[in-house]
Amino acid sequence: MERFCDPNLPKTRVKRVFISQLMPDELVSEFNDMGIKTYKLGKTPNIRTELAYHPDVLVNNFRKGFWMCENDAKYIPKEIPRSMILESETELGQIYPYDCLFNNYRIGRTLICGKSADYLIKAYATYDEHRIIYVQQNYTKCCSIPVTHNAVITCDYYIGRALRANGFDVLTLKDSDTIGLRGYSHGLIGGCAGKLSDKLIGFTGDLNKYTYGDDIRDFCANYGVDAFSLSSKPMYDYGGILPITEVVPKGEEDTATDIFDIKG
């Protein structure tokens, strides 16, 4: 049995995730071996760079079980129930910050976003009485890895400063050319990772080959979270690993969802 995850922070072992169409088969095999079903998003025609394939650019988990995307999006896999998807009236654009309207994130009852965040995401956060923390960086999710409800890893100084001022524990890293992203000098740490359970964060490359791998391991360990390398290759920014559903623990069967036709 499974149920929808809280946005970005699963409470148990993850069962389904959104990943990039560009993610290699060896990483998909790692997910399969962990019992995780992957859904590869397509691409938006409105962005000409590799960001067009990034899940954290294409969709936003603005509410538990609900995902926002741009108007008339064709990149959502057919297996995903349409009742999970809300299309905004806006479309992504090639020029910053219009390429990152959905690139922000909710953890607990807090939305962390830039001023350019899609208006519907901010409207839902306000309606749900969530705190909104505005930051200068509009690639908010690209630059961040939620670890717990009050702990975040980021590679952006201003995100780190804003979160600390609001009571978060933050590990702030510098940019590193040990993260790959075609067409750019380097990728961003948030696009290399995603939580695969409450106690596990998966990374798209080998943390031993990343400049700040030991810092990440130590920070995560403070919260009982294991930082796990899914590949022996250098880190690559695929636009993140976005959890959709998680295993329902024994005794909580009433929280299961039947929106998917689950067959093993």
Side-chain angles (χ1 to χ4, degrees), residues 135-137 143 154-164 170 172-175:
V135 296
Q136 293 184 28
Q137 174 61 263
C143 293
T154 183
C155 60
D156 184 87
Y157 169 80
Y158 295 102
I159 291 175
R161 186 175 71 176
L163 292 181
R164 284 193 194 90
V170 183
T172 301
L173 310 170
K174 295 181 179 178
D175 288 336

Side-chain angles (χ1 to χ4, degrees), residues 140-172:
T140 313
K141 183 66 173 68
C142 285
C143 293
S144 305
I145 305 172
V147 178
T148 70
H149 286 88
N150 65 343
V152 175
I153 297 168
T154 183
C155 60
D156 184 87
Y157 169 80
Y158 295 102
I159 291 175
R161 186 175 71 176
L163 292 181
R164 284 193 194 90
N166 282 275
F168 285 79
D169 187 15
V170 183
L171 171 63
T172 301

Side-chain angles (χ1 to χ4, degrees), residues 14-256:
V14 168
K15 286 290 292 181
R16 301 172 192 257
V17 295
F18 282 129
I19 60 172
S20 170
Q21 189 180 106
L22 301 181
M23 194 168 280
D25 290 343
E26 64 182 82
L27 281 174
V28 175
S29 294
E30 285 291 322
F31 290 121
N32 291 339
D33 290 345
M34 298 171 75
I36 299 173
K37 181 174 177 56
T38 58
Y39 294 89
K40 287 189 173 183
L41 295 169
K43 62 169 291 192
T44 175
N46 300 321
I47 298 176
R48 294 189 295 275
T49 67
E50 197 168 288
L51 294 183
Y53 295 92
H54 281 203
D56 56 17
V57 166
L58 297 174
V59 294
N60 181 285
N61 193 189
F62 68 100
R63 266 183 177 175
K64 186 174 183 176
F66 294 97
W67 298 77
M68 193 176 298
C69 63
E70 65 182 321
N71 181 48
D72 198 29
K74 300 294 195 299
Y75 47 73
I76 304 296
K78 292 181 179 178
E79 309 97 298
I80 297 297
R82 296 306 299 181
S83 57
M84 288 172 50
I85 305 300
L86 175 64
E87 292 187 1
S88 172
E89 295 178 359
T90 58
E91 291 184 349
L92 294 169
Q94 172 64 23
I95 306 300
Y96 177 89
Y98 301 105
D99 59 347
C100 49
L101 303 176
F102 308 119
N103 193 251
N104 45 78
Y105 60 101
R106 207 196 94 187
I107 50 176
R109 298 188 62 81
T110 301
L111 170 67
I112 299 100
C113 67
K115 293 291 179 65
S116 74
D118 185 272
Y119 77 99
L120 267 182
I121 293 173
K122 293 182 285 189
Y124 273 100
T126 300
Y127 180 82
D128 292 336
E129 298 183 341
H130 292 164
R131 173 175 59 164
I132 301 178
I133 299 176
Y134 287 103
V135 296
Q136 293 184 28
Q137 174 61 263
N138 287 291
Y139 288 125
T140 313
K141 183 66 173 68
C142 285
C143 293
S144 305
I145 305 172
V147 178
T148 70
H149 286 88
N150 65 343
V152 175
I153 297 168
T154 183
C155 60
D156 184 87
Y157 169 80
Y158 295 102
I159 291 175
R161 186 175 71 176
L163 292 181
R164 284 193 194 90
N166 282 275
F168 285 79
D169 187 15
V170 183
L171 171 63
T172 301
L173 310 170
K174 295 181 179 178
D175 288 336
S176 173
D177 59 8
T178 55
I179 297 177
L181 178 58
R182 280 181 291 273
Y184 296 86
S185 60
H186 58 81
L188 299 172
I189 190 62
C192 302
K195 291 208 77 175
L196 302 180
S197 81
D198 57 330
K199 301 297 183 184
L200 182 69
I201 297 177
F203 288 83
T204 60
D206 188 347
L207 282 166
N208 292 322
K209 296 177 180 178
Y210 172 56
T211 309
Y212 306 107
D214 288 339
D215 297 310
I216 286 177
R217 287 195 183 95
D218 291 344
F219 184 80
C220 290
N222 290 337
Y223 293 93
V225 175
D226 182 28
F228 178 71
S229 300
L230 293 164
S231 170
S232 60
K233 294 181 179 179
M235 297 265 266
Y236 195 87
D237 182 350
Y238 290 106
I241 304 161
L242 308 184
I244 304 170
T245 65
E246 64 189 11
V247 173
V248 175
K250 188 175 181 180
E252 298 182 23
E253 289 83 3
D254 61 331
T255 64

